[in-house]
Amino acid sequence: MYNIHDGFIFALLPLISLFSIIPSLKAQAANDIVYEVYIQSFCDSNGDGIGDLPGLISKLDYIQDLGANTIWMMPLHPSPSYHKYDVIDYYSIDPTFGTMADMDLLIAEATKRKMKIILDLVINHTSSEHPWFIASRSSPDSPYRDYYVWKDFDSVKDEIHKKTTTFDSDNLTQWHKWEGQEDRYYGFFWKGMPDLNFDHAPVREEIYKIGKFWIDKGIDGFRLDAAKHIYPDDRFDDTRSFWEEFTKEMRAIKPDIQIIGEVWSDSMTLSTLFKGLPSLFNFELTKSIPECIHAADAGRLIEPYLNIIKAYKSAGVPFEDAILLSNHDMNRIRSTLGGDLQKAKLAAAILLTLPGTPYIYYGEEIGMLGIKPDIHLREPFLWEEDPLKDTRWQKSTYSVRPDVESLEIQMSDPNSIYHHYKKWISLRNNHPELSNGTPVFQNLQNNSILAWIIQEKKKTLWVIHNLSGVEISLPFKDKADIVSEGKQVHVDDDIVIAAFSSVLIRMGN
Ligand SMILES: [Ca+2]
């Protein structure tokens, strides 16, 4: 047991009060908890082994009971790929997932539960099998030719050489050949994903029409895939302007539309995008949470986090921090933490006590495992002890029983990671100051304690995470509510925090 010397808690001074210097800048709805679903792996309703929309509908009560109020659905449009990030029709549902009637029902059932739906919108590129591209690639004279970016191969080479092109890419492999065509077309990710040409006004009109279609259907927000790549890096200003126009167009249809962008970049670059993309995934924070746990060093989180927020606020534009432990493109958090369930629980408690909007990747709440390649990050959810109840479009490599216990087992075990998630989500939902408040980090003279306070009117909320593998004891010289345990301690009682555990304490009158 680690003992901090008596009276310590009262001797504390705020270590860093950067947060109080600049007023809170908040965009969009607050206090949401988002649950990211990979439809294919979630729940199958018709016995073909592939997760689908009716399956998801049947699990809305589960997601709501967990405490999330918003669902981010990974792409559901028809697509030749298993992951669906290359769309061939933005106005319909991939038949393996269901029908438009199923989607309408999902939206209605979500609305009935006051839950929100965020659609994954992939507009940087289409599939090479999208009718626009089929027409575009058919002839230089096609009316759809300019929906994509075509260039004469020699000029591509020339311009890359001279570095004068506006569509230059140091990587020539981003200019692809289509058989029978002299010119090359631009595809940032690969030849099956040709980039749309946002210099061409009709393309922008098509995108806004798609947005309007889904807003009219009743969805609540968009998660914008590959938002950094609308134009190549040397035209980043144009990318920024596009998103400002996009969000303005969407807000004209639905003023409270939620817009979340996926941009892999440094926080200073991100801050320049908030006008158009008022919420961005905080991937830098995603990295520092497991790092601070690994090193049992609070500074590994506090320092980068304060730098991120300082950069974000420097733009002077409202933003909503989208925080996460992992997603469909990243190793699952429990795997990052060596498979350790206690550490995975600690990571969850840290995420769920930090400001912003937490995004929980499906299966994280039952401690699913998975490391790259990507397909293993997207394994079937384990609902019951009977594996036949799982989706079975792929055989799991990492998330297998008993390494990962099924939800059924975990529901009857109060110490399961599932109940841990439920508890900390509930604490967050009942203490909006956690997401909206201003955390002031505390130096407890022990690097393995990550702690901050949030000042309420007359009370102080303490968030304390024990990053170490040993129990610690904190002497509180007053009456304190251990909110997270639902009990009070009295004068001269110590508050004991188990290894890799967290407490929420309220002090004051
Ligand atoms: Ca199915």
Side-chain angles (χ1 to χ4, degrees), residues 44-46 48 50 52 96:
D44 174 31
S45 72
N46 62 355
D48 66 359
I50 303 171
D52 47 45
T96 52

Side-chain angles (χ1 to χ4, degrees), residues 83-147:
H83 52 66
K84 315 288 176 206
Y85 276 101
D86 41 349
V87 174
I88 57 175
D89 179 5
Y90 290 97
Y91 295 97
S92 58
I93 305 292
D94 193 284
T96 52
F97 295 163
T99 63
M100 191 57 89
D102 294 328
M103 186 62 191
D104 289 336
L105 185 61
L106 172 72
I107 294 168
E109 289 294 322
T111 307
K112 208 193 282 178
R113 291 167 176 80
K114 295 190 166 45
M115 293 174 81
K116 298 190 277 187
I117 301 282
I118 290 176
L119 210 64
D120 209 321
L121 197 58
V122 188
I123 55 172
N124 173 69
H125 50 265
T126 68
S127 163
S128 55
E129 297 308 309
H130 192 290
W132 296 338
F133 190 70
I134 293 174
S136 180
R137 77 197 189 203
S138 69
S139 152
D141 304 322
S142 162
Y144 286 93
R145 186 67 166 187
D146 289 338
Y147 269 47

Side-chain angles (χ1 to χ4, degrees), residues 5 102 175 442:
H5 60 81
D102 294 328
W175 289 95
Q442 305 294 315

Side-chain angles (χ1 to χ4, degrees), residues 334-408:
R334 186 178 157 201
S335 292
T336 303
L337 293 166
D340 189 312
L341 262 179
Q342 260 322 109
K343 290 182 180 174
K345 286 179 175 177
L346 175 60
I350 293 172
L351 179 84
L352 291 165
T353 46
L354 282 168
T357 299
Y359 284 67
I360 297 168
Y361 184 41
Y362 85 93
E364 216 172 83
E365 79 277 23
I366 57 166
M368 279 177 67
L369 296 160
I371 54 173
K372 281 176 178 271
D374 289 350
I375 200 155
H376 297 308
L377 317 175
R378 306 163 184 176
E379 293 184 343
F381 192 95
L382 297 80
W383 291 105
E384 298 179 21
E385 264 315 89
D386 179 2
L388 291 173
K389 299 287 171 62
D390 300 347
T391 63
R392 52 180 191 281
W393 68 275
Q394 68 155 315
K395 197 174 176 330
S396 292
T397 301
Y398 296 97
S399 289
V400 291
R401 300 164 184 80
D403 296 350
V404 176
E405 288 188 321
S406 69
L407 176 69
E408 184 183 15

Side-chain angles (χ1 to χ4, degrees), residues 178-195:
W178 196 269
E179 205 168 325
Q181 290 291 325
E182 288 295 312
D183 293 349
R184 296 273 176 140
Y185 67 95
Y186 184 74
F188 179 81
F189 291 101
W190 71 294
K191 64 179 168 60
M193 294 178 171
D195 279 44

